[in-house]
Amino acid sequence: MLYLKLAWRNIWRNKRRTFITMLSIIVAVMLSSVMRTMNEGSYEQMIENTVGIFTGYVQIHQKGYWDDKTLENTLVSSDTLFQIIAQTPGITKAVPRIESYALVAGENQSRAAMVIGIDPEKERSLSDPQNRIVTGSYFEDLNERSVLLGTDLVQRLELQVGDSLVMIGQGFRGQSAAGLYEVKGTVRFPNPEMNKSLVMMPLGTAQFFLAAPDRLTGISLIIEDSDDAESVTKILSGYLSSEDYEVMDWKELMPELVQAIESDRGSGLIIIMILYVVVGFGILGTVLMMITERTYEFGVMISVGTSRFAIAMMLAFEVLLMAMAGSLVGIVASYPISYYFHINPIRLSDSGDMAQVIETFGMEPVLQFSLEPSLFYSQAIIIFVITLIFCLIPILKASRLNPVKAMRS
Amino acid sequence: MPTQNGNNMSVIRTEGLTKVYNPDQVPVHALNGVDLTIEKGEFTAIVGPSGSGKTTLLNIIGGLDEPTGGKAFIRGTDISTLSDRELINFRLNHIGFVFQSFNLIPVLTALENVSFIMQMQGRPAKECREKSIELLEEVGLKDKINKRPSELSGGQQQRVAVARALASKPDFVLADEPTANLDSVSTAELLDMMAELNEVEDMTFIFSTHDQRVIDRARRVITLVDGKIDSDEERTVDSG
């Protein structure tokens, strides 16, 4: 209690020095928190844009499909399979799809396109095309002969809503696939690659076009908590025959995305480490200054019988109090910044180099900030610990002063 | 702890005390075999020109510095054999210090400064407070107990330092040029107070000083020249 009282009063003794020390802690927590929330927010967005609204966190395929994505490796849609899925804990919805590629053409232009057959009702839970329609309208039933096109694709094909689209491709077991469909609408997804090549069809129409009735390339699963993808995958794998089916979580489905995130996270950590070191030395400087100013006083205290432990405790409490207050204020100050950019993400200029690089990876050129609480408190804890580590040497130095030399200072 | 033999233990006894600074480079002999005995109740001034070894002697008998040679006994304990931790504890319980200036902890009030030493000794809070008030009353600062050092004059600060020095019930008080920064009125008041404590409570005071006003009040004056005792003179002083 005595040490705490001394520490508290010493903190207020030189308000400017205390303010500078605390400010360096606050700014460090703010910078590192905001930086981490920007990085992690971007990763969350990348995952959400690709996994959360397109592939799903878990998928079921016919065994071998993911290595050789052909219609020959499609699975047969059965009630039994959907019943097993429904009984698996942690899964909320199952979204069936059939995917292939085809040449699509308008009157003057043709393009290679990714064709996805969707269940109009069930797909609302995953990619939710109805809410992404830019022009036109959504499918009304499973078998209507119409398509939705990505916004960029429709421009490239020089088509409009209501026009006809010719599709030519290869169906199940090498059968030729051809058809004429009405362009019912255009859709825009956050993933720019999809906007350039996507053709969506009702599931029945796509199965008919590909001559693969009742067949699916995969079933995407919606799960209660995206962090449970691995455990859900394990449970479901136990329920299904491993000879017939493969169950994969998003990390297996998109290893390149995981690697891109890990690599970016690595370089982000290097930058943040540099920040930690700079901040650490800044704090070391102010604490050294604080101790140098009071060398004579410590000399007197040790002379009259104050133990070295007591001196160290008093200084440790001073640093602890400042570090705690600085870290807390840092969190409070950084949250509104991250919150603002969470609500209003930074949209990179489309013509900019960075935006183009991001788009090359099939991502939306937007910097989204995360509001994950652990990002804030983990940074506060790290800065708090760094403060303590960098203060350890000056504190030990002060407590080991020779009283005679200290009083000569 | 090693102790000296004999029943009539002196408060301080030194045997052939030497101190050499920079022994490997340019040796400076601060003390050259000082033999000294100080008994309980003495009011002693250690005087001498600058560099004569006054402060070094005080630092060694105060357990703040180690001698190069010789021994220093406090109440029979050879303090040169104590570890750093034991020395700090020894100083806390046996020696009172009054320095030239900036004696006090700036963030504590007069009462807290005096009480601080007793709290370090682990005495109960109530006892610390009561004893501190009593000591501050004794040094004439009853109305300043809640003032911080910055709100006290130099003389008042030195009186608080004396109260603090007495708080631990020490064997003796070492005062290193305690009047160096005081005006004549404050010096006279401080010396009167110390002389009274010496006479009434039989407290032993050892000063190092240049100040003639202090020397005039001392009952024993030890003069150091070049690290040796040049003269050791006992005197009768009119306490009035």
Side-chain angles (χ1 to χ4, degrees):
Chain A
M1 196 62 196
L2 176 65
Y3 309 138
L4 202 60
K5 184 165 79 178
L6 271 169
W8 178 252
R9 291 200 191 161
N10 275 317
I11 284 173
W12 298 110
R13 180 173 163 188
N14 187 337
K15 292 189 183 74
R16 189 185 294 171
R17 188 183 56 217
T18 303
F19 176 73
I20 291 170
T21 310
M22 279 181 57
L23 194 65
S24 50
I25 298 169
I26 292 167
V27 170
V29 172
M30 266 178 67
L31 282 177
S32 59
S33 298
V34 169
M35 201 173 143
R36 291 287 294 135
T37 54
M38 186 183 80
N39 286 344
E40 291 300 322
S42 301
Y43 306 149
E44 280 170 19
Q45 193 203 19
M46 280 160 81
I47 295 167
E48 186 56 30
N49 284 355
T50 49
V51 177
I53 63 167
F54 193 66
T55 57
Y57 284 91
V58 179
Q59 279 192 7
I60 303 170
H61 318 120
Q62 177 78 19
K63 188 165 177 62
Y65 173 76
W66 203 247
D67 286 337
D68 183 15
K69 294 187 188 73
T70 65
L71 291 172
E72 315 318 313
N73 288 330
T74 46
L75 58 85
V76 178
S77 174
S78 72
D79 290 346
T80 320
L81 180 60
F82 280 95
Q83 269 169 14
I84 291 171
I85 293 168
Q87 283 163 8
T88 307
I91 298 174
T92 53
K93 293 240 166 79
V95 182
R97 280 179 182 165
I98 186 162
E99 296 177 18
S100 188
Y101 290 89
L103 183 72
V104 296
E107 197 174 350
N108 302 315
Q109 299 287 337
S110 64
R111 284 278 184 277
M114 178 170 63
V115 180
I116 303 180
I118 58 165
D119 181 318
E121 264 316 299
K122 291 177 178 169
E123 194 64 31
R124 287 180 207 272
S125 314
L126 192 57
S127 64
D128 194 14
Q130 188 168 19
N131 279 325
R132 298 180 192 279
I133 284 181
V134 180
T135 52
S137 56
Y138 192 50
F139 303 127
E140 277 153 26
D141 67 66
L142 269 176
N143 297 303
E144 70 175 86
R145 292 182 58 83
S146 57
V147 292
L148 294 174
L149 300 183
T151 46
D152 292 346
L153 179 65
V154 89
Q155 279 178 4
R156 287 175 181 208
L157 294 173
E158 296 171 1
L159 290 173
Q160 288 181 337
V161 173
D163 287 350
S164 295
L165 177 80
V166 176
M167 294 174 60
I168 301 166
Q170 192 176 46
F172 185 54
R173 289 185 180 151
Q175 294 180 65
S176 66
L180 185 70
Y181 302 93
E182 181 197 347
V183 177
K184 195 166 186 187
T186 58
V187 281
R188 185 195 294 279
F189 281 92
N191 183 334
E193 206 51 44
M194 286 173 69
N195 297 332
K196 287 177 192 163
S197 62
L198 183 70
V199 176
M200 273 189 159
M201 305 174 86
L203 186 63
T205 309
Q207 286 170 332
F208 184 78
F209 168 67
L210 297 167
D214 296 329
R215 299 196 84 87
L216 302 171
T217 49
I219 302 169
S220 296
L221 305 177
I222 313 283
I223 56 176
E224 280 168 12
D225 185 347
S226 57
D227 292 335
D228 294 340
E230 213 174 315
S231 60
V232 168
T233 305
K234 239 180 216 170
I235 295 168
L236 195 54
S237 300
Y239 293 164
L240 296 172
S241 158
S242 61
E243 286 179 9
D244 297 332
Y245 299 103
E246 59 189 19
V247 186
M248 301 168 85
D249 69 10
W250 71 272
K251 287 180 183 169
E252 286 178 275
L253 292 167
M254 311 201 75
E256 66 285 355
L257 178 65
V258 177
Q259 280 167 12
I261 288 174
E262 288 304 322
S263 134
D264 196 69
R265 192 177 273 146
S267 51
L269 279 178
I270 291 171
I271 293 170
I272 219 162
M273 290 283 202
I274 294 170
L275 177 75
Y276 292 155
V277 172
V278 170
V279 167
F281 278 104
I283 291 164
L284 176 73
T286 53
V287 173
L288 269 178
M289 192 165 64
M290 165 178 105
I291 285 169
T292 309
E293 275 177 17
R294 287 158 62 189
T295 301
Y296 181 89
E297 181 185 326
F298 297 140
V300 170
M301 288 176 81
I302 296 169
S303 297
V304 299
T306 311
S307 70
R308 296 183 187 279
F309 175 75
I311 302 270
M313 282 295 284
M314 180 185 77
L315 287 170
F317 275 132
E318 281 179 40
V319 174
L320 261 170
L321 287 171
M322 284 192 286
M324 272 171 67
S327 302
L328 285 175
V329 175
I331 291 180
V332 172
S334 52
Y335 190 83
I337 299 172
S338 297
Y339 181 79
Y340 176 81
F341 287 115
H342 179 76
I343 302 295
N344 307 292
I346 300 170
R347 184 164 286 279
L348 300 173
S349 160
D350 286 343
S351 55
D353 289 345
M354 193 172 164
Q356 282 172 2
V357 169
I358 294 174
E359 281 192 358
T360 315
F361 284 100
M363 312 293 170
E364 195 182 13
V366 165
L367 296 179
Q368 176 77 52
F369 285 57
S370 170
L371 291 180
E372 170 62 38
S374 67
L375 293 174
F376 294 93
Y377 67 70
S378 65
Q379 290 312 305
I381 291 170
I382 290 170
I383 298 290
F384 180 76
V385 172
I386 285 173
T387 306
L388 297 190
I389 290 171
F390 273 84
C391 290
L392 205 62
I393 293 169
I395 288 173
L396 286 176
K397 205 178 150 196
S399 68
R400 287 179 183 175
L401 281 172
N402 176 312
V404 175
K405 285 182 186 162
M407 283 193 291
R408 270 196 216 123
S409 67
Chain B
M1 287 179 194
T3 56
Q4 76 184 76
N5 297 322
N7 295 325
N8 297 323
M9 244 184 262
S10 309
V11 176
I12 299 165
R13 188 164 66 85
T14 68
E15 290 174 0
L17 218 52
T18 60
K19 179 71 184 180
V20 183
Y21 293 109
N22 298 326
D24 301 328
Q25 293 159 349
V26 184
V28 176
H29 295 267
L31 294 177
N32 277 315
V34 174
D35 296 314
L36 176 69
T37 303
I38 292 176
E39 304 295 342
K40 183 163 175 59
E42 283 195 17
F43 201 71
T44 301
I46 298 172
V47 301
S50 290
S52 60
K54 301 184 299 291
T55 301
T56 305
L57 179 61
L58 237 62
N59 285 343
I60 291 174
I61 59 182
L64 295 173
D65 206 353
E66 288 176 8
T68 311
K71 288 181 177 177
F73 295 94
I74 307 293
R75 282 273 176 215
T77 303
D78 181 0
I79 59 168
S80 53
T81 61
L82 300 182
S83 67
D84 179 67
R85 187 178 288 188
E86 286 171 333
L87 260 180
I88 290 176
N89 211 29
F90 192 86
R91 290 199 296 268
L92 177 66
N93 293 304
H94 296 274
I95 309 171
F97 288 91
V98 179
F99 300 106
Q100 202 169 324
S101 55
F102 306 112
N103 266 293
L104 306 174
I105 300 171
V107 293
L108 298 182
T109 62
L111 178 72
E112 288 164 339
N113 261 291
V114 178
S115 174
F116 179 75
I117 292 292
M118 290 185 275
Q119 284 179 275
M120 283 285 148
Q121 288 178 313
R123 284 150 75 175
K126 195 179 168 209
E127 185 196 328
C128 295
R129 186 179 162 78
E130 285 170 359
K131 183 70 183 165
S132 303
I133 293 172
E134 189 187 308
L135 285 165
L136 285 167
E137 213 173 313
E138 223 170 306
V139 298
L141 290 174
K142 194 187 174 187
D143 56 334
K144 306 281 183 195
I145 59 171
N146 290 321
K147 299 280 182 197
R148 290 200 182 179
S150 57
E151 298 169 300
L152 299 172
S153 70
Q156 288 168 334
Q157 286 185 37
Q158 289 303 69
R159 284 202 256 165
V160 176
V162 172
R164 185 188 62 186
L166 298 173
S168 63
K169 295 181 187 163
D171 294 326
F172 60 94
V173 174
L174 287 178
D176 188 6
E177 307 208 27
T179 58
N181 295 315
L182 300 185
D183 59 31
S184 54
V185 175
S186 300
T187 299
E189 283 174 356
L190 187 72
L191 289 171
D192 286 346
M193 187 199 77
M194 287 176 163
E196 194 184 332
L197 286 165
N198 171 252
E199 277 167 27
V200 176
E201 297 185 15
D202 206 21
M203 177 53 66
T204 311
F205 280 92
I206 301 132
F207 305 89
S208 85
T209 187
H210 281 114
D211 191 338
Q212 194 55 45
R213 294 166 298 186
V214 180
I215 299 167
D216 290 345
R217 301 287 294 266
R219 290 204 301 275
R220 182 179 174 191
V221 179
I222 298 166
T223 308
L224 286 181
V225 176
D226 294 335
K228 286 181 183 167
I229 296 178
D230 187 58
S231 67
D232 187 348
E233 185 189 345
E234 296 218 15
R235 305 182 314 178
T236 310
V237 176
D238 179 10
S239 60

